[in-house]
Amino acid sequence: MRPLSESQTAMSIAAPVLVGVLLVAIWEIACRNANIPVYLFPKPSDIAEKLWTEGPSLLTALGMTLRVALQAFAAAIVLGTLVAFLFVQSRAIEMSLFPYAVLLQVTPIVAIAPLIIILVKNTQVALTVCATVVAIFPIISNTTLGLRSVDPGLVNLFRMNRAGRLQTLVRLRIPSALPYFFGGLRISSGLALIGSVVAEFVAGTGGRSAGLAYEILQSGFQLDIPRMFAALFLITLAGVALFAIMIGLSKLALGQWHESEIGAET
Amino acid sequence: MTHNHLLVLAPNKPLPVQSGALARAPVVEVLSAEKIFPNGTRALAPIDLTVGAGEFLTLIGPSGCGKSTLLKLIANLIEPTDGRILWWSGEFHKVETAGRSLGFVFQDPTLMPWARVESNVRLPLDLAGVPKSESGERVREALARVGLEGFARHYPRQLSGGMKMRVSIARSLITEPDLLLMDEPFGALDEFTRNRLDTDLVRLWWERKLTTMFVTHSIYEAVFLSTRVVVMGAQPGRICRIMSIDEPQPREEGFRNSPRFGEYCRALSASLTEVSLAPLQA
């Protein structure tokens, strides 16, 4: 069975790459044939050129955005997990607080970002707060669900062996919750990045702490559309990388035992 | 060998149907215990039952006859609505101070999928705070006892259904329980695997002088394993008949093919038919 699974891994990389190459080729040829002006819709080669020449400044901007996104992601993990632990302490706590977590989730960040930016003096902190608000909900809901999804048979087993509250938490609830928690991380990592970009857009920050959103805005004003696309490409790349890291972490933690990471070989 | 010998001596020995007083010291005494669930379901009518030390007592009956409920009452997982239960002639909270313990095997293997076989088996000792230096040896012994020496480092998903059940049994035995409660442990297994596990279980029970209570749906399993079979009826759950299986111990594969085995099975089957028809006549 080994060669098959190896060829499947190879396929899972080769197939999307092939599709990507094809799409980019069609894009390039179509733009060239139709003579579309670069300020309307740039060719991939124009974007690649911009990426090369403007690389350092764009990468610095990416660094700023990623910093905000990662800070927000970390804050969402810590706060979200704490809230989830609070929720599972009692149904009453969950019932009285969960609607507000939903409220946080459904409020458009574009609408409340200006308020947060006004209230919080430090722009960096304000951006982080906005991105955290966007990223926290999947962690809260998934971790809460996970902490509750414990095999009732195992609960009985722990009770029969007179396990304490802490023992049950550490040895039973937390391991049971891990697959759900990692599911939350995957969603949340992308949301943290989106949240930080959106917050930067709203804040329109200039100067030294300018992120990629600012670069996109500026490029738009200057009709430097290839640069805009180049910035967009970097954001997408960062999002995919974050997602891949989350999948890797999840494999590392659950690979030995959880169905989601095992596949059908056994 | 032994039962063939017995058959020659007493070929037409009548089957003992009703068992009288016990000579053995009582391990569990169920005294008019009754269970009514909060939704009004009367799972158990007041029941009296005494389980003696070293007995292998099987509960059998149609679905909804309260056999699992009775077992859970005895495991102290739930409390009786009325009546009481004594363990070694005392209350449940005195069980531990008296140096006694209970083992419970569930319908499912109920293993932690994230933990290796050895960690699963060691769990009761870990929860009791036994140091790893001591528990390691006991885990090895427990796994050897159920024939899983080479599987300590495996994960549950790498084992077959029968092997998972063995792990579950090893885990319940690691605390050296005096009373082993088993709730249809082999119900989900194929007959071949079940027969093998039954034979192993009889050997374990005999070697360790375990008092065992076993819930099953299978007549053959009940006859093969038990010293006494309790036939229960439904609506409400109650004890209808107690049948002694007075055959030499420990029983081996050959017992299944002996004429006596067939006689016991027919008698038990007749009781069960009677019991399951009773509510219709009422």
Side-chain angles (χ1 to χ4, degrees):
Chain A
M1 292 311 278
R2 198 75 204 141
L4 182 71
S5 70
E6 262 171 18
S7 71
Q8 267 177 349
T9 322
M11 264 295 280
S12 74
I13 297 168
V17 167
L18 192 72
V19 170
V21 169
L22 261 172
L23 284 177
V24 168
I26 292 169
W27 177 359
E28 180 80 32
I29 293 165
C31 281
R32 276 181 197 279
N33 282 350
N35 269 327
I36 298 174
V38 77
Y39 56 84
L40 277 185
F41 205 82
K43 299 187 291 292
S45 55
D46 297 327
I47 298 166
E49 194 193 330
K50 273 291 171 194
L51 263 178
W52 184 250
T53 54
E54 301 273 336
S57 74
L58 285 179
L59 279 181
T60 317
L62 175 68
M64 298 307 308
T65 305
L66 267 183
R67 214 181 96 187
V68 172
L70 291 179
Q71 281 170 351
F73 187 37
I77 293 174
V78 173
L79 293 174
T81 311
L82 283 178
V83 171
F85 275 116
L86 187 71
F87 278 4
V88 293
Q89 291 313 304
S90 87
R91 284 274 175 199
I93 296 177
E94 188 183 357
M95 275 197 288
S96 40
L97 292 184
F98 196 75
Y100 296 98
V102 177
L103 207 68
L104 211 62
Q105 159 78 355
V106 297
T107 310
I109 189 64
V110 185
I112 54 166
L115 188 69
I116 294 173
I117 289 160
I118 292 167
L119 288 176
V120 182
K121 276 220 179 75
N122 185 321
T123 319
Q124 278 284 314
V125 177
L127 295 179
T128 308
V129 170
C130 291
T132 308
V133 168
V134 177
I136 199 168
F137 187 76
I139 304 226
I140 296 178
S141 64
N142 273 33
T143 311
T144 306
L145 182 66
L147 288 170
R148 288 212 188 286
S149 304
V150 181
D151 179 352
L154 283 172
V155 172
N156 270 339
L157 176 75
F158 272 66
R159 207 163 41 171
M160 280 212 60
N161 285 290
R162 299 183 194 79
R165 222 177 150 82
L166 187 68
Q167 281 178 320
T168 311
L169 182 73
V170 173
R171 288 175 176 275
L172 182 58
R173 287 203 187 276
I174 290 180
S176 304
L178 277 183
Y180 297 83
F181 173 72
F182 279 108
L185 283 196
R186 285 185 200 182
I187 307 169
S188 178
S189 64
L191 285 180
L193 191 65
I194 293 172
S196 54
V197 171
V198 169
E200 277 177 14
F201 260 105
V202 176
T205 42
R208 288 181 302 134
S209 61
L212 269 182
Y214 174 75
E215 296 295 333
I216 291 174
L217 278 176
Q218 283 301 310
S219 307
F221 293 148
Q222 296 160 7
L223 282 183
D224 193 349
I225 310 301
R227 195 166 182 275
M228 207 168 122
F229 270 81
L232 198 61
F233 175 73
L234 284 181
I235 292 178
T236 320
L237 207 64
V240 171
L242 266 179
F243 188 78
I245 291 170
M246 289 311 123
I247 287 186
L249 276 180
S250 160
K251 249 200 171 59
L252 217 62
L254 312 177
Q256 293 287 0
W257 63 274
H258 198 254
E259 294 87 347
S260 64
E261 302 292 351
I262 289 164
E265 94 273 23
T266 45
Chain B
M1 276 303 287
T2 37
H3 29 263
N4 287 343
H5 169 69
L6 201 99
L7 274 174
V8 174
L9 284 181
N12 293 317
K13 181 184 167 195
L15 293 176
V17 170
Q18 197 75 33
S19 169
L22 285 155
R24 297 158 149 153
V27 170
V28 175
E29 290 158 272
V30 181
L31 307 168
S32 319
E34 182 178 8
K35 183 68 190 177
I36 299 167
F37 285 114
N39 64 9
T41 312
R42 200 158 172 232
L44 274 183
I47 270 183
D48 286 287
L49 181 68
T50 304
V51 186
E55 263 202 281
F56 199 118
L57 188 111
T58 299
L59 306 176
I60 194 167
S63 299
C65 70
K67 28 188 209 301
S68 285
T69 307
L70 179 57
L71 206 69
K72 281 186 184 122
L73 280 172
I74 291 169
N76 200 38
L77 280 171
I78 52 175
E79 303 237 318
T81 315
D82 202 3
R84 56 199 288 236
I85 297 169
L86 295 177
W87 292 264
W88 292 279
S89 307
E91 299 293 330
F92 189 80
H93 62 88
K94 288 187 187 145
V95 167
E96 202 176 7
T97 48
R100 309 282 193 175
S101 72
L102 272 63
F104 199 101
V105 180
F106 300 89
Q107 278 176 8
D108 306 310
T110 324
L111 304 177
M112 302 178 288
W114 56 85
R116 292 178 196 274
V117 164
E118 55 185 0
S119 311
N120 267 296
V121 173
R122 191 171 48 226
L123 180 76
L125 298 181
D126 284 347
L127 291 176
V130 176
K132 286 258 191 322
S133 53
E134 186 191 325
S135 59
E137 186 52 39
R138 285 171 71 179
V139 168
R140 263 189 297 283
E141 277 171 25
L143 282 175
R145 223 143 50 197
V146 297
L148 287 177
E149 293 94 337
F151 295 92
R153 305 287 294 164
H154 282 58
Y155 282 93
R157 67 171 180 90
Q158 298 169 306
L159 306 180
S160 68
M163 288 159 94
K164 282 184 204 166
M165 218 57 237
R166 284 171 192 270
V167 175
S168 185
I169 292 171
R171 180 182 60 197
S172 69
L173 290 177
I174 198 156
T175 52
E176 307 280 330
D178 303 278
L179 173 62
L180 185 61
L181 305 169
M182 307 178 91
D183 188 1
E184 275 186 64
F186 310 141
L189 302 177
D190 61 272
E191 201 172 346
F192 177 71
T193 311
R194 177 198 290 214
N195 286 350
R196 270 186 47 196
L197 287 177
D198 281 345
T199 310
D200 292 349
L201 181 61
V202 165
R203 186 177 47 80
L204 272 174
W205 161 78
W206 183 251
E207 281 169 6
R208 307 179 61 76
K209 306 277 171 269
L210 275 168
T211 308
T212 306
M213 285 189 76
F214 192 96
V215 170
T216 184
H217 272 125
S218 162
I219 290 171
Y220 306 110
E221 197 171 34
V223 170
F224 182 74
L225 292 171
S226 321
T227 54
R228 275 199 302 163
V229 180
V230 175
V231 179
M232 295 183 70
Q235 292 171 343
R238 65 199 188 280
I239 292 175
C240 297
R241 175 168 287 182
I242 296 178
M243 184 172 162
S244 289
I245 314 281
D246 293 326
E247 292 295 318
Q249 300 286 0
R251 288 169 193 159
E252 281 158 27
E253 270 306 310
F255 177 48
R256 286 185 210 281
N257 303 319
S258 69
R260 303 278 302 164
F261 186 80
E263 285 174 48
Y264 281 116
C265 287
R266 273 191 293 280
L268 186 54
S269 175
S271 304
L272 275 166
T273 312
E274 204 177 298
V275 162
S276 50
L277 287 178
L280 297 176
Q281 291 160 355

